[in-house]
Amino acid sequence: MPSSPKVFFANAAAASSSSRRYGALRRLLASPAFSAACLLFGLAGFLTAALVAVSRGAPPAARCPDSSRPLSVSVAWDRRPGDGAGAAELPASLATGSRGRHKVMAFVGIFTGFGSGGRRRALRRTWLPSDRQGLLRLEEATGLAFRFVIGKSNSKAKMAALEREVEEYDDFVLLDLEEEYSRLPYKTLAFFKAAYALFDSDFYVKADDDIYLRPDRLSLLLAKERSHPQTYIGCMKKGPVFTDPKLKWYEPQSHLLGSEYFLHAYGPIYALSADVVASLVALRNNSFRMFSNEDVTIGSWMLAMNVNHENTHALCEPDCTDSAIAVWDIPKCSGLCHPEVKMLELHRRKECTGGPVEVAEVSEEDR
């Protein structure tokens, strides 16, 4: 698995010429002329700062989301030898250049896959804006940035289709690892590391693409004052460990867990505070134990940290209520059953949206 995210390249030429530019930069920095220029520039800066200090300046303008740069980004990884051997590379055209950490209250990564185009269409027709300006307005109103999170495929056709979708909607974070359900815990760790590199947030939220979400209520939940800096928010559960290989949630390492799972959040949506994610980022990938199920894996990591488990049932409501934040068909499905259709049905209901909303009719493609 790749190590921490390091570099973001704007295009293939930038990637191939980076080493040449680095050498030229080192020669420039070592020259006497550059040292003299730096000295003169420093003196000028000192005099300017002194003048500003004695004058009254205007207050800084409020920062709004930058609408000029692309929202989607592909994460280039600093690989160790042998990492991801034989896997397809992410297209360089999907990367967006070097960038600093974007400040938001929370970053929400919506996990999706190559076979989930219908789910993404349903989300963009309901609670998630389908255009970049809409995403920026939602970010400004709630403090939440939303992106779909997906890995890569060895299929050129799938990658080409993804590239077209990124170009059309500009709402993705592309991870440099194979998109495969059986490796969901690895994708989750890669997501939190990439999210921390891209966004300076108070919380990092993992969500699935088959839940109906109220971003305004999620924003209010995350904005609450908390005394504990390390917080793990979710709809918490316990239950028996599945030891039968024929069952969907079978755990091959059940001998390490005993007969019952520890307290942990359901997988469709949960949030980790910045301090928790910073601890995950600081550790080497091979120091994490990976269980078969992503929610159990995350829960086991939380046991190793001094985190506060915040149990919020509003994140796992089976139907829309006055307080529901996330709606999905618990316990029948680990998300909405038939989400392409159910998402649109929920969005037509006033109790789900908070007001009347028109939604296009369900097409045969979405059924």
Side-chain angles (χ1 to χ4, degrees):
M1 178 181 173
S3 60
S4 299
K6 299 293 184 183
V7 183
F8 306 93
F9 289 121
N11 50 52
S16 62
S17 63
S18 60
S19 60
R20 295 195 298 272
R21 288 179 306 185
Y22 179 66
L25 180 62
R26 284 193 303 176
R27 291 192 294 273
L28 175 63
L29 295 177
S31 65
F34 182 80
S35 299
C38 286
L39 178 61
L40 292 175
F41 186 76
L43 290 174
F46 176 79
L47 293 175
T48 301
L51 291 174
V52 172
V54 298
S55 65
R56 297 183 63 182
R63 294 186 61 189
C64 294
D66 184 0
S67 61
S68 63
R69 70 177 186 179
L71 302 182
S72 294
V73 62
S74 64
V75 181
W77 299 84
D78 182 16
R79 291 180 174 273
R80 296 187 180 93
D83 279 345
E89 293 299 321
L90 288 170
S93 59
L94 296 183
T96 58
S98 298
R99 56 173 67 196
R101 297 176 76 208
H102 181 51
K103 177 63 179 176
V104 290
M105 182 178 70
F107 173 61
V108 184
I110 306 171
F111 275 35
T112 191
F114 286 95
S116 298
R119 296 182 180 187
R120 293 192 292 275
R121 285 192 296 272
L123 262 64
R124 295 188 185 110
R125 292 165 63 183
T126 55
W127 61 264
L128 184 70
S130 60
D131 62 287
R132 60 177 287 108
Q133 292 302 323
L135 283 172
L136 292 173
R137 286 193 297 271
L138 180 62
E139 178 183 323
E140 187 174 1
T142 63
L144 309 179
F146 291 86
R147 303 289 187 274
F148 288 107
V149 180
I150 194 170
K152 60 187 180 183
S153 171
N154 284 320
S155 168
K156 292 182 179 180
K158 289 181 179 180
M159 293 302 294
L162 175 61
E163 189 167 357
R164 291 191 296 270
E165 190 174 348
V166 170
E167 184 177 356
E168 180 177 359
Y169 293 105
D170 192 20
D171 55 3
F172 281 88
V173 166
L174 311 174
L175 298 178
D176 187 17
L177 82 171
E178 198 75 12
E179 181 66 42
E180 188 177 344
Y181 184 78
S182 63
R183 294 182 61 81
L184 187 54
Y186 294 90
K187 177 180 178 179
T188 305
L189 177 59
F191 158 67
F192 281 120
K193 290 198 171 190
Y196 191 82
L198 292 168
F199 292 88
D200 178 9
S201 303
D202 297 330
F203 283 94
Y204 299 85
V205 182
K206 181 265 178 181
D208 286 345
D209 61 3
D210 55 357
I211 63 172
Y212 187 87
L213 187 66
R214 284 287 299 266
D216 55 338
R217 293 178 180 174
L218 178 62
S219 175
L220 292 175
L221 171 67
L222 299 178
K224 289 170 51 179
E225 289 290 335
R226 292 175 173 86
S227 59
H228 204 300
Q230 298 188 87
T231 304
Y232 172 34
I233 305 173
C235 184
M236 300 293 170
K237 63 173 180 175
K238 285 185 177 182
V241 176
F242 293 99
T243 58
D244 186 349
K246 297 178 182 179
L247 297 177
K248 180 180 180 181
W249 309 115
Y250 167 62
E251 177 51 67
Q253 300 182 81
S254 58
H255 62 282
L256 298 175
L257 299 170
S259 59
E260 185 175 83
Y261 285 120
F262 38 78
L263 188 69
H264 63 285
Y266 279 100
I269 182 170
Y270 54 86
L272 303 181
S273 65
D275 281 9
V276 176
V277 177
S279 297
L280 298 180
V281 169
L283 296 175
R284 295 195 304 268
N285 290 333
N286 60 8
S287 65
F288 292 91
R289 181 176 294 280
M290 299 290 184
F291 292 100
S292 288
N293 300 305
E294 166 239 345
D295 54 354
V296 173
T297 301
I298 292 292
S300 70
W301 299 346
M302 297 302 100
L303 284 182
M305 301 181 187
N306 182 29
V307 304
N308 179 49
H309 290 61
E310 187 173 313
N311 188 14
T312 305
H313 285 286
L315 293 172
C316 59
E317 293 286 0
D319 203 355
C320 296
T321 67
D322 291 340
S323 60
I325 298 172
V327 176
W328 45 284
D329 292 318
I330 180 175
K332 186 178 179 181
C333 299
S334 57
L336 289 173
C337 303
H338 310 294
E340 296 88 345
V341 176
K342 187 70 175 289
M343 198 83 64
L344 304 179
E345 293 175 351
L346 290 173
H347 202 64
R348 291 189 180 94
R349 294 168 50 188
K350 182 178 180 179
E351 59 267 32
C352 294
T353 63
V357 177
E358 291 188 7
V359 181
E361 292 298 320
V362 179
S363 65
E364 289 301 321
E365 185 180 18
D366 292 330
R367 290 189 184 277

